[in-house]
Amino acid sequence: MKTRKLLVALIATLCLPATATMSLAKKKAEMTSYLFAYFTGNAPEQEQICFAISDDGFNYTPLNGGRPIISSDTIALSKGVRDPHILRADDGTFYMVATDMRCSLGWTSNRGIVLMKSNDLIHWEHHTVHFPERFKGTEFANVTRVWAPQTIYDKSAGKYMVYFSLLTDDKSIPYDKVYYCYATPDFSGLEGTPKVLFDYKEATIDTDIVEDENGTYHLFFKTEKAGQHKGIRKYTFTDLHSPDTWKLRPGFCEITKSDVEGSCVFPLIQGGWCLMYDCYRDHHYQFAKSSDLNTFEYVQDTETRGTFTPRHGTTIQITKKERKRLVKAFPINNK
């Protein structure tokens, strides 16, 4: 009997990877469209979360008539949010994080982030992390900005990792540097104290990490040093926590000489990748595509005007059922 139980357990264990692979393949096959989460501008009424949908990853139609789908005054301590990052977890949960900030109060007025989760993309549970309170007694209580948080699953830790750039007013962090914390299991807060993810030795913000099909991570970030071009550079690596082994790609990734920010990289349903970013001085979004995440080909500029004026946001793939549910909840022509 003992031998039989061991055999059953062994068979079950051996079957798990195949089952997981089949489930993942089925999930990918169900994807038909894209959801873009973004904010729209620097005025308080524009620092809200908006959604737009696309069937090709490059051309988007705003939901809810271009108006917010989540009001910042209901989720943020500052009553404003920026830079939303949206992620689909393997268990079907959706996570979203955003900068808790109103820029009308100044570019060093930001003291924390907002964490949200949803099972249907419509209803969102939210929690705030106010760094002066959460990290009282440490240098992290002195932050003047906690910018552009994003989330990735850290396989080595078995946890969701939230990363962001930090700056303090006590010179303990003298320039914007990228740190991380693990989210609590219920995604309501952060565990421990922030740790350095990497140090570019110059001001660095707007970090975006994706993993390709070979298990290589590609980390895109914005160079922010005053007096220099503000563009997107990239590291590649296989270990999230060994920055000494990371390789820095030469040059910049954007297909423009203008300053850019808020890069987002996501896989295209038909294969390959899209790189999009905010050409904030030129008032348009720019889209590029790549087959290897190393070389990028210009696709188009999308002027930010009318009901679609996106600023720094992120995109995920969605199913036909999810697209239908979103359009029903937030009609395209809602007035």
Side-chain angles (χ1 to χ4, degrees), residues 62-73:
L63 295 176
N64 204 33
R67 293 191 300 279
I69 61 97
I70 302 175
S71 296
S72 295
D73 59 3

Side-chain angles (χ1 to χ4, degrees), residues 152-179:
I152 189 171
Y153 184 70
D154 183 347
K155 294 178 292 186
S156 64
K159 299 179 180 181
Y160 284 93
M161 186 178 86
V162 182
Y163 53 96
F164 35 76
S165 62
L166 296 181
L167 182 72
T168 62
D169 60 6
D170 63 355
K171 298 185 179 180
S172 61
I173 307 175
Y175 53 87
D176 301 271
K177 191 184 302 184
V178 180
Y179 286 74

Side-chain angles (χ1 to χ4, degrees), residues 3 18 43 58 70-71 73 98 109 126 157 174 205 209 241 255-256 263 267 335:
T3 302
F58 304 112
I70 302 175
S71 296
D73 59 3
S109 64
H126 71 277
I205 64 172
I209 307 173
H241 304 296
I255 317 295
T256 178
S263 64
K335 296 182 179 181

Side-chain angles (χ1 to χ4, degrees), residues 9-109:
L10 177 61
I11 292 173
T13 302
L14 290 173
C15 287
L16 279 175
T19 303
T21 301
M22 289 173 62
S23 176
L24 183 60
K26 181 180 179 182
K27 187 183 298 182
K28 288 182 177 180
E30 292 176 349
M31 301 301 161
T32 60
S33 303
Y34 303 86
L35 174 65
F36 182 11
Y38 58 96
F39 75 106
T40 65
N42 293 335
E45 64 272 16
Q46 297 173 317
E47 291 173 318
Q48 317 276 346
I49 294 175
C50 295
F51 279 174
I53 54 174
S54 170
D55 292 327
D56 64 6
F58 304 112
N59 298 281
Y60 289 83
T61 301
L63 295 176
N64 204 33
R67 293 191 300 279
I69 61 97
I70 302 175
S71 296
S72 295
D73 59 3
T74 67
I75 61 173
L77 296 178
S78 68
K79 309 302 182 184
V81 296
R82 302 168 65 91
D83 323 315
H85 176 264
I86 189 167
L87 174 75
R88 178 195 297 271
D90 284 343
D91 66 358
T93 304
F94 297 94
Y95 295 120
M96 192 153 49
V97 287
T99 307
D100 189 337
M101 178 179 174
R102 294 185 75 164
C103 80
S104 60
L105 300 177
W107 292 108
T108 56
S109 64

Side-chain angles (χ1 to χ4, degrees), residues 24 28 152 155 209-220 234-238 265-267 272-273 290-294:
L24 183 60
K28 288 182 177 180
I152 189 171
K155 294 178 292 186
I209 307 173
V210 295
E211 183 182 5
D212 67 21
E213 61 275 9
N214 298 315
T216 298
Y217 292 101
H218 300 255
L219 182 151
F220 297 80
K234 190 192 82 162
Y235 285 106
T236 57
F237 50 90
T238 56
V265 180
F266 60 93
W273 299 80
S290 174
S291 60
D292 59 7
L293 287 173
N294 290 316

Side-chain angles (χ1 to χ4, degrees), residues 105-158:
L105 300 177
W107 292 108
T108 56
S109 64
N110 164 226
R111 300 292 183 270
I113 61 176
V114 179
L115 291 84
M116 292 166 277
K117 68 177 181 180
S118 173
N119 293 320
D120 60 6
L121 293 170
I122 311 299
H123 306 93
W124 292 87
E125 176 186 323
H126 71 277
H127 299 273
T128 57
V129 180
H130 186 57
F131 276 53
E133 178 182 346
R134 171 63 180 81
F135 301 111
K136 186 177 181 179
T138 74
E139 65 268 36
F140 304 111
N142 302 314
V143 294
T144 55
R145 28 195 213 223
V146 187
W147 277 3
Q150 297 210 39
T151 308
I152 189 171
Y153 184 70
D154 183 347
K155 294 178 292 186
S156 64

